[in-house]
Amino acid sequence: MCEVKVITGTSAAAEAARLADVDVIAAYPITPQTTCVEKLAEFVANGELDAEYVKVESEHSALSVCIGAAATGARTFTATASQGLALMHEVLFIASGMRLPIVMMVANRALSAPINIWNDHQDSIAQRDTGWIQIYVEDNQETLDSIIQAYKIAENDDVLLPVMVCLDGFILTHTVEPVTIPKAERVREFLGVYEPKHAYLDPDRPITQGPVGVPDCYMETRKQIEDAMERSKKVIKEVNEEFSEWFKRKYGNGLVEAYNLENADTVLVAMGTVCGTIKDVIDELKKEGKEVGLLRIRTYRPFPKEDVKELLKDAENIAVLDKNISFGFNKGALGIEMASILKNKKICNYIVGLGGRDIRIEDIKTIINDVEKSEDDKTAWIGLKE
Amino acid sequence: MQFPREELFAPGHRGCAGCGAAIVARLVLKAAGKDTICVVPTGCLEVMTTPYPETSWRVPWIHVAFENAAAVASGVESAIKALKRKRGKFANKKINVIAIGGDGGTADIGFQALSGAMERGHNILYIMYDNEAYMNTGIQRSSSTPFMAATTTSPAGSKIKGEDRPKKDVAMIMAAHGIPYVATACISYPEDFMRKVKKALSIEGPKFIQVLQPCTTGWGYPPHKTIEIGRLAVETGIFPLYEIENGEFRITYKPSKRKPVKEYIRMQKRYRHLTDEDIERIQRYIDEKCKLLGL
Amino acid sequence: MVTIAAIIYEPGNSIRNKTGSWRTFRPILDNNKCVKCENCYIFCPEGAIQEDENGNFKIDYDYCKGCLICMNECPVNAITKVREEK
């Protein structure tokens, strides 16, 4: 028996943390994440969730609290966005370096300056190399489901890496959708309790965590993280399948979602909510007899190289949409990475939706037309004002 | 037998000969015992005790970064609470959570996290081992560096005579947080220091101890004088020993007659640029401070 | 093999690192003069001075770095120093 609630993405994230029976929550408010930590505060205040709710004085401390708690064997949760995520930057590396399965909701928001509270992906893309698994979701249901999955992935002995579940600020965080809430007992049974074997502070087993990584060991620690990332691909796929058996919902193969890729010469590649708009356009064009496909990248890290290569092997016109920009290279992160794995293919990169700029149906159609008539790779900024 | 014999801080660490920080760690663990989790931010104590694959710690220990020891300790304490309550972990043992940070990691870069942890009321003890500069990076001034002391970033020049600002009073700032226990201590008075650690650990809530720890390398004196110099810091009134329990201030050691600061200052290279006039100035400043504290 | 997250599972294994080789001067403790005040014991940064089964303090030269705090703090001059022969 499930319950359906009409809730925002941030509430869905809070519900997921409650269902996962987290032990320690560190909360510092930032738009558009706030309603998530507010909801969690309510849960704790009403006794619906038995957790320590630590009202920290910054995002830097938020993640530091989670690290201390996770290193003591607790299941932890925090949430942030934009400047808050940037402030965490230093500690993000430490969470993965210490191999702690922390789960964090990121409400994707543009970075200053100028200050902007609206959506793009620059904040989490800038944290690409911190050793965190990154899942980009498309709707509120996927937000809830992905956070539950995130614990199962992060706590897997083959992985032991932190996970950020990224949802588009305002587009999901402040928009209500019907969300199916599974039974708490079912989720707890699905996840089990977190019993770390590698890292927990306990006087009965005095270990030293976070020592000085001398040159003789440091490089190995980096390779271990890379190997864990590689192994996580399989785990993410398995968890996606297992989740679908338990809860009857799945998201592509876990790493990517293919939409109308068969018979499509033109394929759009994107992450997050824009994929919803793209699917609408694809359906509309299909009625007109035109086949266009979408490859939604769900996990940006680990990057699904093999799936991308396989699924796009016949595509002729590849349009990569990026809600971020690498200054000085005039491409977005996804555009750069697609070009690096798909040799001898025409890949056009479209910079879209920065700082909350609307991405309209017409913009998607413009991109489709543009990539089809382009003779070579290019980068174009879509929706710029004159 | 005056002191407990259990050694929870192992030899073989890379601290300098005569290192005061090592004495802090040893005394804290003797006072706290084995049911203790230590959180140590980046700094001398961290670097000299844990070069992988070796550790000098016989208690569970964690280092995360430079500025967040108080936040990490908050997380450790919160996890213990939650796991005890929800899953009966830690066999309902009383576990001490102790952060031990240097003056840079505490009074400067870790100050925000420290203030947050103290204000939130976590049941932790934060110990600031105060050697009055960033020793690990090569003796740069911190906000805990005293007036006119020379460091590599407050050098004694022809125009500026070392550090141009007085030492930040971290213990009093912690007391202003209204926490149940604040104390100052010095490694030269081990009974006093260990008594304060024990007392702090017996009190529920946030506790703060600032322990003065002379540094042979940073202060410029021969290693055998570490304890002697610490004693002089107290005997001169430069570093008063007190505790503030539930808001009640109490001097815990009162020198029968304060020694002149000159005795302390002339033993250290960091003050060698000072003239007798400069020392007089420091003497007057210390006299004023001691008057306020009733020393 | 490097452990996961470089966690060290052997408490206090820095005892492998014999810091006695750092010494320039060697403190010598005369137990006949010792009054068991424990100054040398408690002030040693290495914990290199320990009590033996007869209640006498002994200096562990495997770890003593020769800082001579013990000599300086001994109230009865029971500790003297000699230069290490290299």
Side-chain angles (χ1 to χ4, degrees):
Chain A
M1 275 293 290
C2 292
E3 187 188 356
V4 176
K5 283 188 188 171
V6 181
I7 54 174
T8 61
T10 46
S11 284
E15 291 281 359
R18 175 181 66 79
L19 295 168
D21 191 25
V22 297
D23 303 307
V24 176
I25 296 160
Y28 189 80
I30 182 168
T31 303
Q33 155 266 33
T34 38
T35 43
C36 175
V37 291
E38 288 169 5
K39 192 81 202 162
L40 284 164
E42 272 176 44
F43 286 151
V44 173
N46 294 331
E48 293 168 77
L49 169 62
D50 184 5
E52 289 297 308
Y53 185 91
V54 187
K55 292 158 271 186
V56 285
E57 81 300 330
S58 73
E59 288 89 354
H60 195 284
S61 284
L63 191 52
S64 301
V65 162
C66 287
I67 287 175
T72 313
R75 185 175 280 166
T76 62
F77 182 77
T78 189
T80 191
S82 180
Q83 307 303 122
L85 187 59
L87 183 59
M88 279 183 189
H89 178 69
E90 180 201 21
V91 210
L92 291 173
F93 280 100
I94 301 173
S96 60
M98 296 183 82
R99 308 297 299 274
L100 300 171
I102 296 161
V103 174
M104 170 159 68
M105 181 204 87
V106 175
N108 282 120
R109 166 186 149 182
L111 283 165
S112 281
I115 190 165
N116 174 301
I117 59 169
W118 294 272
N119 168 246
D120 67 32
H121 290 163
Q122 194 78 51
D123 54 354
S124 52
I125 290 295
Q127 308 303 342
R128 180 188 68 178
D129 298 334
T130 54
W132 283 60
I133 290 171
Q134 292 193 345
I135 299 174
Y136 289 78
V137 305
E138 194 182 326
D139 58 33
N140 291 351
Q141 182 71 58
E142 191 183 356
T143 302
L144 181 139
D145 293 347
S146 298
I147 287 173
I148 294 169
Q149 291 180 2
Y151 283 106
K152 188 98 173 161
I153 297 161
E155 293 169 5
N156 187 298
D157 281 336
D158 282 341
V159 181
L160 296 173
L161 288 173
V163 181
M164 45 180 104
V165 174
C166 307
L167 63 152
D168 286 326
F170 290 104
I171 302 168
L172 292 183
T173 59
H174 287 63
T175 306
V176 294
E177 292 179 334
V179 173
T180 301
I181 317 274
K183 281 257 180 249
E185 306 81 73
R186 288 273 291 161
V187 174
R188 282 162 205 191
E189 200 186 331
F190 174 71
L191 289 180
V193 288
Y194 176 49
E195 289 283 6
K197 296 184 201 66
H198 68 306
Y200 60 92
L201 296 166
D202 183 346
D204 287 342
R205 192 190 74 150
I207 64 171
T208 289
Q209 292 191 64
V212 179
V214 295
D216 206 35
C217 79
Y218 183 82
M219 204 157 161
E220 283 69 23
T221 66
R222 303 299 92 176
K223 183 62 164 58
Q224 287 170 0
I225 294 171
E226 181 51 35
D227 291 346
M229 272 283 178
E230 190 56 37
R231 289 193 299 268
S232 76
K233 289 179 187 171
K234 184 166 167 269
V235 174
I236 292 165
K237 287 182 173 179
E238 285 167 1
V239 168
N240 186 51
E241 288 301 325
E242 207 182 333
F243 187 87
S244 109
E245 282 162 28
W246 280 61
F247 303 102
K248 312 298 170 210
R249 284 184 300 279
K250 66 190 284 187
Y251 300 95
N253 71 359
L255 302 175
V256 294
E257 183 197 350
Y259 192 81
N260 202 46
L261 278 188
E262 317 78 32
N263 312 320
D265 293 336
T266 299
V267 176
L268 278 63
V269 181
M271 305 195 295
T273 52
V274 72
C275 294
T277 315
I278 294 171
K279 286 174 183 170
D280 284 349
V281 174
I282 288 173
D283 293 348
E284 191 187 322
L285 292 176
K286 201 179 182 75
K287 282 183 206 148
E288 295 166 13
K290 184 175 168 61
E291 298 290 348
V292 173
L294 164 71
L295 180 64
R296 175 162 81 95
I297 305 294
R298 184 164 177 263
T299 62
Y300 178 63
R301 283 295 178 272
F303 197 79
K305 282 188 236 174
E306 299 78 8
D307 293 296
V308 168
K309 273 188 191 166
E310 175 60 25
L311 290 164
L312 295 187
K313 64 177 191 294
D314 298 324
E316 283 178 14
N317 310 306
I318 300 172
V320 181
L321 280 67
D322 264 300
K323 283 189 180 182
N324 69 89
I325 176 68
S326 176
F327 296 122
F329 204 73
N330 196 30
K331 277 184 185 292
L334 200 51
I336 295 169
E337 299 192 353
M338 295 299 285
S340 86
I341 56 173
L342 296 173
K343 308 280 177 349
N344 307 317
K345 288 245 183 218
K346 180 178 74 182
I347 300 169
C348 297
N349 195 193
Y350 298 92
I351 307 302
V352 297
L354 300 187
R357 180 65 47 90
D358 266 348
I359 308 167
R360 302 160 306 166
I361 299 253
E362 290 70 45
D363 296 325
I364 303 297
K365 288 181 177 168
T366 302
I367 288 169
I368 294 169
N369 289 333
D370 191 76
V371 71
E372 288 179 346
K373 69 172 197 288
S374 289
E375 301 201 339
D376 203 355
D377 296 0
K378 65 181 279 195
T379 300
W381 291 55
I382 300 299
L384 277 184
K385 289 193 179 167
E386 294 297 313
Chain B
M1 190 165 79
Q2 215 180 331
F3 298 105
R5 294 294 188 249
E6 192 174 21
E7 296 290 348
L8 294 164
F9 184 72
H13 63 77
R14 273 76 168 173
C16 303
C19 174
I23 300 173
V24 169
R26 210 174 147 236
L27 296 180
V28 168
L29 292 182
K30 277 190 183 294
K34 68 174 184 49
D35 289 336
T36 297
I37 295 174
C38 280
V39 180
V40 176
T42 314
C44 274
L45 186 60
E46 170 254 343
V47 169
M48 75 197 210
T49 57
T50 63
Y52 184 86
E54 288 178 12
T55 181
S56 299
W57 300 84
R58 290 174 174 143
V59 294
W61 182 95
I62 183 171
H63 158 259
V64 176
F66 197 6
E67 68 279 59
N68 62 357
V72 174
S74 304
V76 171
E77 182 252 11
S78 301
I80 292 171
K81 258 195 201 159
L83 294 176
K84 270 186 178 178
R85 185 174 68 231
K86 292 172 77 172
R87 286 158 62 190
K89 289 236 162 179
F90 303 107
N92 284 319
K93 241 189 269 179
K94 179 187 172 293
I95 295 171
N96 308 310
V97 179
I98 305 181
I100 314 176
D103 47 296
T106 304
D108 291 348
I109 198 168
F111 197 61
Q112 175 180 319
L114 174 64
S115 178
M118 294 291 117
E119 165 273 314
R120 288 191 300 268
H122 293 281
N123 186 25
I124 60 176
L125 166 60
Y126 194 107
I127 295 173
M128 163 178 166
Y129 66 99
D130 187 3
N131 49 39
E132 305 192 320
Y134 290 85
M135 298 317 185
N136 189 43
T137 44
I139 320 162
Q140 293 82 23
R141 73 77 80 175
S142 76
S143 60
S144 198
T145 299
F147 187 55
M148 291 213 252
T151 70
T152 53
T153 52
S154 63
S158 56
K159 290 195 171 161
I160 304 172
K161 291 191 157 184
E163 176 53 34
D164 57 357
R165 300 290 305 154
K167 184 180 174 76
K168 179 172 174 177
D169 198 341
V170 185
M172 284 299 180
I173 301 170
M174 287 304 109
H177 283 64
I179 60 176
Y181 189 76
V182 173
T184 60
C186 174
I187 53 166
S188 308
Y189 298 81
E191 302 91 338
D192 178 74
F193 178 35
M194 288 170 67
R195 182 188 62 78
K196 285 169 175 168
V197 170
K198 278 194 163 154
K199 186 176 207 175
L201 292 174
S202 73
I203 295 168
E204 182 79 17
K207 290 84 60 175
F208 180 86
I209 298 176
Q210 176 178 1
V211 56
L212 185 74
Q213 167 258 291
C215 168
T216 165
T217 315
W219 296 12
Y221 63 81
H224 65 272
K225 297 218 181 272
T226 294
I227 299 302
E228 188 182 334
I229 289 190
R231 203 176 285 123
L232 272 172
V234 175
E235 295 281 353
T236 54
I238 283 177
F239 196 88
L241 302 184
Y242 60 80
E243 62 187 1
I244 304 171
E245 201 180 343
N246 296 317
E248 202 129 321
F249 177 90
R250 189 171 76 86
I251 290 283
T252 54
Y253 176 76
K254 190 170 179 170
S256 47
K257 188 178 183 306
R258 277 196 289 121
K259 291 188 170 157
V261 298
K262 195 172 183 174
E263 272 187 46
Y264 172 76
I265 282 171
R266 284 297 181 215
M267 285 174 79
Q268 305 171 49
K269 280 194 193 141
R270 63 175 174 162
Y271 290 121
R272 72 175 156 193
H273 57 290
L274 300 193
T275 61
D276 283 350
E277 244 176 20
D278 295 329
I279 295 173
E280 252 322 294
R281 208 173 144 199
I282 293 175
Q283 183 68 61
R284 283 196 300 275
Y285 172 71
I286 296 299
D287 289 347
E288 283 296 312
K289 264 186 63 183
C290 287
K291 210 166 121 189
L292 281 173
L293 296 178
L295 274 177
Chain C
M1 209 186 69
V2 175
T3 57
I4 185 168
I7 294 168
I8 304 171
Y9 293 99
E10 200 187 332
N13 63 355
S14 65
I15 52 167
R16 293 180 203 161
N17 184 41
K18 303 281 173 73
T19 52
S21 60
W22 298 18
R23 223 169 27 245
T24 315
F25 287 99
R26 167 186 288 253
I28 313 274
L29 189 147
D30 180 350
N31 270 300
N32 295 323
K33 288 190 186 166
C34 176
V35 292
K36 314 272 188 297
C37 74
E38 303 190 9
N39 270 4
C40 60
Y41 168 77
I42 202 67
F43 288 130
C44 177
E46 319 308 319
I49 302 179
Q50 295 292 333
E51 201 177 19
D52 69 11
E53 55 277 15
N54 305 319
N56 291 323
F57 286 100
K58 274 183 76 175
I59 299 171
D60 186 342
Y61 294 109
D62 278 351
Y63 300 105
C64 167
K65 292 172 184 165
C67 72
L68 302 177
I69 287 177
C70 52
M71 186 184 81
N72 203 56
E73 296 307 318
C74 180
V76 293
N77 298 320
I79 302 175
T80 50
K81 66 174 181 184
V82 294
R83 185 172 280 277
E84 285 289 346
E85 303 290 331
K86 292 281 170 183

